[in-house]
Amino acid sequence: MYTTQFPHLFKPLKIRDKVVKNRIMSAPNMLFHTIDGRPDDYYIRYLEHKARGGAGIVNLGEANVCDGGNHTPEMETSEQNLTLYAEMAAAIHEHGALASVELTHGGRNAKSWFNKDPNRVVGPVDEVNWLGVKVRQMTEKDMDYIAQGFAETAAYYLKAGFDTVLVHAAHGWMIAQFLSSFVNTRTDAYGGSFENRMRFPLMILERMRAHLGPQPPLCVRLSGSGRREGDFTVFDIIDFLEAAQDFIDMVEISAEDPTYSGLSTLRPHGINLDLSETIKRSGRIRIPVYVVGNIQAPEMAEEALATGKADGISMSRALIADPYLPRKLQQGRREDITPCLRCSNCTDSDNTVRHFVCSVNPKLAREERLGFGEELAKAPHANKVLIVGGGPAGMSAAITATERGHEVVLVEKAASLGGQLRFSDRDFYKHDLREYKDFLVRKTLESGTRLLFGTELSRDLIVREAPDEIVFATGSEPIIPPIPGIESAKHCTAAYDEPESLTGDAVVIIGGGLVGIETGLHLIKQGKQVTVLEMCDEYARDAWGLYRMSLMAVVNEEGLTVITEATARAVTEEGVVYERKGAEQLASAEVVLYAVGMRSIDAPYFEFYDAATSVSLVGDALKIAKVAGAVHSGYFAAYDIGTV
């Protein structure tokens, strides 16, 4: 008889009259695959992939409820679009999941250019928002219009075949703005005490229930705390939920601080479990309580359910990295789950350039073109492939090429796989990256790739192996800044490769990009006093979005000293002489490190460009980038081999 390792995670649940097959919810995330208000086929297939992977509930994210509240391109709830949403719901249902849609109003964070009437951009109070948009204080007439918008939009999606809606009352959007004492400074019946501040949010939920009737389940995404002194607490939220549960049937608990909702590898896993546990332990909430907040390890999810900290687990990035996570767990294939890096590249790329990219899952949001299968189809022609370099790009290429049916030989001059990712074995914060590096190494070893360690590429080797294709994944090397005395300094990798050589406590790092800052944070955890010198007017400019916010928060918390607009002039026995605003100063140091950029190692590619029928350049050797650039370029180079 089959016995699951995760009995609580795969225990069915009823939400009103709907049966959920397990306790895993695919949390909503926006994909921006809408054209003129219509979701495209990519969007439908993306959500279908989540359902196919085994999640119990799958959410369409960020559906706007009325004009004036749009902070993303509008998804029009028209009769013409009804068939598209019906197909979306049907695609989710075909794989046994419940179809849900997240309903959102941006409030003060709405973007006027996504709305027809700029005068409808309203919030709790009059202000000009961070985008320069004039926000008008909401009147009771506005409240009536918005509440009706929530109700009618919910009815539309239920008509299209969705099973439920998830009202977004968190993460700085309109409902959360009313709950927050920092944003909602009104002095009328909708401001002041928390009882007043929750009046309009409760009105929305009551209106929805009255409009929809008693049967369809309604769910809410809610911050369990403002996570800062003076804002609403988890005990306020218990009061809110005690009143709201007359209208709703499930709550998903997050947190308001974006470094707790959009979590990075710099924060602990399961960071919001304390909130869901407090709500559950109160004894006052009778509806199921789901929790979101970087619960990626199934063991943590199982423990949270088994000990009563939550009734369900909401996963976003874990199911972006591997939509098949639930099915793999059911099949006893825990080791096959692709780990998430918690890099937030998915959300940040989507919000910034409108192109959804997961660092570790090249197929994500491209299911319409690349297909659904967890396993890749065999290539029409099996070739012999020589891969040069065993870093993330080379390993990605090797795993992909062997799965496509090719014979693969990988040449690596070091004694092991991993390339530059080997630093994660010692970094204080990079446990997620270390897990992913180990996953790639294990998959490469299991793939059947023939590995030649301690081997330099040569023309003799190429002649001996006689490959049809060569993939150059030769990586990159540090740029050494042309500064007097730099020969006495070391690159930041020495903090990991040669930690015993960093004998002093005072460290100065030349270069305040992402590498310099992250190395500085790691060294602080080793007990060092670290100063980072950055010549630009801001540090970590190569980090963006949610990860950058989290990074800046941790820099402040850990007390990392970062001096911007500082140009290093010389490395001396005393430290680093730098110039700032026309004046020379000294940053005292016993150890000096530098991280001013990397340079592609592409010489082998140019030397051996004619040594096989086809050659390709991937990873840092092609373009200096982060993990996504390496993994994706290796994957697609290998995917193309043998196609014609």
Side-chain angles (χ1 to χ4, degrees):
M1 178 178 173
Y2 168 76
T3 303
T4 177
Q5 294 177 279
F6 305 95
H8 294 87
L9 204 54
F10 289 99
K11 184 178 181 180
L13 174 71
K14 259 199 167 183
I15 300 179
R16 200 168 280 254
D17 65 333
K18 300 294 183 182
V19 176
V20 189
K21 66 180 180 180
N22 60 44
R23 304 300 177 95
I24 301 173
M25 178 165 77
S26 174
N29 40 77
M30 186 60 185
L31 197 60
F32 292 111
H33 270 287
T34 53
I35 301 171
D36 296 329
R38 297 165 63 84
D40 62 12
D41 285 341
Y42 287 109
Y43 213 158
I44 295 172
R45 299 296 169 252
Y46 167 77
L47 293 176
E48 182 180 0
H49 206 174
K50 297 292 189 70
R52 187 185 290 258
I57 304 174
V58 175
N59 278 281
L60 164 65
E62 304 281 7
N64 48 283
V65 297
C66 59
D67 190 47
N70 301 340
H71 64 92
T72 59
E74 183 177 9
M75 292 194 289
E76 291 184 357
T77 50
S78 64
E79 284 296 317
Q80 185 182 25
N81 285 356
L82 194 63
T83 55
L84 291 171
Y85 292 113
E87 176 62 19
M88 188 178 279
I92 294 170
H93 289 150
E94 286 166 5
H95 306 286
L98 294 190
S100 175
V101 55
E102 180 189 48
L103 303 184
T104 308
H105 189 291
R108 70 196 287 244
N109 292 320
K111 297 175 180 175
S112 56
W113 50 93
F114 289 140
N115 294 275
K116 297 179 180 68
D117 183 358
N119 193 49
R120 286 204 181 275
V121 177
V122 292
V125 297
D126 288 324
E127 61 176 311
V128 176
N129 72 14
W130 63 283
L131 295 164
V133 175
K134 185 177 181 180
V135 179
R136 179 172 55 79
Q137 177 170 304
M138 201 179 295
T139 65
E140 290 191 340
K141 184 178 178 181
D142 295 319
M143 293 179 190
D144 180 73
Y145 166 74
I146 292 169
Q148 193 64 21
F150 272 97
E152 291 179 358
T153 305
Y156 174 90
Y157 283 105
L158 293 170
K159 181 181 177 181
F162 283 81
D163 301 287
T164 185
V165 296
L166 181 69
V167 177
H168 201 340
H171 303 170
W173 304 124
M174 187 270 296
I175 295 177
Q177 293 161 21
F178 266 84
L179 295 176
S180 172
S181 59
F182 289 95
V183 178
N184 182 0
T185 56
R186 298 172 72 113
T187 56
D188 61 3
Y190 301 96
S193 67
F194 188 76
E195 182 180 8
N196 281 358
R197 301 201 309 273
M198 71 182 191
R199 191 183 305 273
F200 177 46
L202 287 174
M203 185 184 101
I204 291 172
L205 301 178
E206 184 176 12
R207 177 76 62 88
M208 293 177 72
R209 178 54 70 196
H211 186 78
L212 299 172
Q215 199 57 33
L218 299 181
C219 307
V220 171
R221 164 173 266 199
L222 184 67
S223 290
S225 169
R227 291 288 197 195
R228 54 178 174 170
E229 188 71 29
D231 209 345
F232 62 86
T233 68
V234 67
F235 303 104
D236 293 323
I237 292 304
I238 291 170
D239 290 341
F240 176 80
L241 283 173
E242 190 169 35
Q245 64 188 351
D246 288 339
F247 316 118
I248 65 173
D249 305 284
M250 185 268 274
V251 62
E252 178 210 39
I253 294 298
S254 183
E256 201 57 20
D257 185 326
T259 66
Y260 285 81
S261 56
L263 295 168
S264 77
T265 189
L266 301 169
R267 295 293 191 191
H269 288 268
I271 202 166
N272 294 323
L273 279 168
D274 63 320
L275 301 177
S276 63
E277 182 178 18
T278 301
I279 291 168
K280 288 281 294 175
R281 302 273 188 238
S282 72
R284 294 162 58 189
I285 308 305
R286 62 179 182 269
I287 60 176
V289 177
Y290 277 60
V291 62
V292 67
N294 222 23
I295 304 171
Q296 297 179 324
E299 294 80 10
M300 175 178 281
E302 176 70 15
E303 190 273 340
L305 299 178
T307 56
K309 296 174 184 174
D311 299 298
I313 304 298
S314 185
M315 295 180 173
S316 179
R317 289 174 297 177
L319 298 184
I320 289 172
D322 194 337
Y324 289 96
L325 180 152
R327 285 202 184 278
K328 289 178 180 179
L329 289 180
Q330 283 182 305
Q331 295 166 2
R333 298 167 53 208
R334 168 70 175 88
E335 71 283 355
D336 289 335
I337 295 171
T338 304
C340 171
L341 300 183
R342 291 198 292 166
C343 62
S344 290
N345 191 30
C346 49
T347 301
D348 293 338
S349 63
D350 198 26
N351 286 332
T352 306
V353 297
R354 299 292 186 259
H355 189 231
F356 201 58
V357 175
C358 172
S359 293
V360 300
N361 184 357
K363 289 180 67 173
L364 190 85
R366 288 149 193 86
E367 295 84 0
E368 181 71 10
R369 291 190 288 113
L370 301 178
F372 282 108
E374 178 196 336
E375 296 183 357
L376 293 175
K378 298 298 182 184
H381 307 284
N383 289 351
K384 185 172 183 181
V385 183
L386 176 64
I387 297 173
V388 186
M395 289 189 288
S396 177
I399 295 165
T400 306
T402 53
E403 194 170 337
R404 293 272 280 161
H406 302 297
E407 178 189 352
V408 180
V409 179
L410 189 149
V411 176
E412 169 55 53
K413 62 183 179 181
S416 61
L417 296 169
Q420 292 184 35
L421 298 191
R422 285 192 288 263
F423 88 95
S424 63
D425 290 337
R426 297 185 177 183
D427 189 274
F428 180 86
Y429 291 100
K430 296 291 185 177
H431 36 276
D432 298 297
L433 183 59
R434 178 169 62 250
E435 183 181 0
Y436 180 62
K437 182 264 295 177
D438 291 344
F439 171 83
L440 285 179
V441 170
R442 186 174 67 253
K443 286 295 183 182
T444 303
L445 294 174
E446 294 171 353
S447 70
T449 296
R450 182 156 56 91
L451 300 167
L452 303 178
F453 290 118
T455 304
E456 293 277 358
L457 181 67
S458 66
R459 195 165 290 275
D460 286 344
L461 185 148
I462 295 173
V463 170
R464 185 171 65 250
E465 294 295 340
D468 302 300
E469 311 252 355
I470 304 177
V471 178
F472 290 92
T474 43
S476 59
E477 59 187 0
I479 295 171
I480 302 173
I483 301 170
I486 195 64
E487 63 276 2
S488 65
K490 296 183 178 182
H491 186 256
C492 273
T493 49
Y496 310 99
D497 297 339
E498 313 168 45
E500 64 284 346
S501 70
L502 307 186
T503 54
D505 289 331
V507 180
V508 170
I509 298 175
I510 301 170
L514 192 55
V515 172
I517 296 297
E518 289 183 334
T519 303
L521 291 173
H522 165 74
L523 289 172
I524 281 181
K525 289 298 186 181
Q526 314 312 310
K528 308 290 187 183
Q529 290 100 43
V530 185
T531 299
V532 179
L533 303 177
E534 170 53 44
M535 66 189 302
C536 296
D537 59 358
E538 58 182 6
Y539 63 85
R541 297 178 75 173
D542 48 344
W544 55 342
L546 290 172
Y547 187 82
R548 178 176 172 78
M549 292 173 64
S550 182
L551 182 74
M552 294 175 76
V554 175
V555 165
N556 292 332
E557 291 165 11
E558 295 296 335
L560 176 63
T561 300
V562 183
I563 303 174
T564 57
E565 301 180 277
T567 302
R569 295 302 184 196
V571 178
T572 69
E573 291 184 357
E574 289 75 31
V576 178
V577 177
Y578 67 93
E579 182 179 335
R580 188 171 192 270
K581 297 184 178 179
E584 282 197 348
Q585 302 180 54
L586 174 69
S588 298
E590 297 164 272
V591 176
V592 177
L593 302 175
Y594 60 88
V596 297
M598 303 292 286
R599 178 187 294 111
S600 295
I601 301 175
D602 55 11
Y605 170 77
F606 285 99
E607 182 179 356
F608 299 112
Y609 75 94
D610 59 349
T613 304
S614 178
V615 298
S616 54
L617 191 62
V618 300
D620 271 6
L622 174 66
K623 181 182 179 181
I624 303 299
K626 301 184 180 73
V627 173
V631 172
H632 284 233
S633 61
Y635 175 92
F636 286 110
Y639 190 92
D640 280 348
I641 294 172
T643 55
V644 292

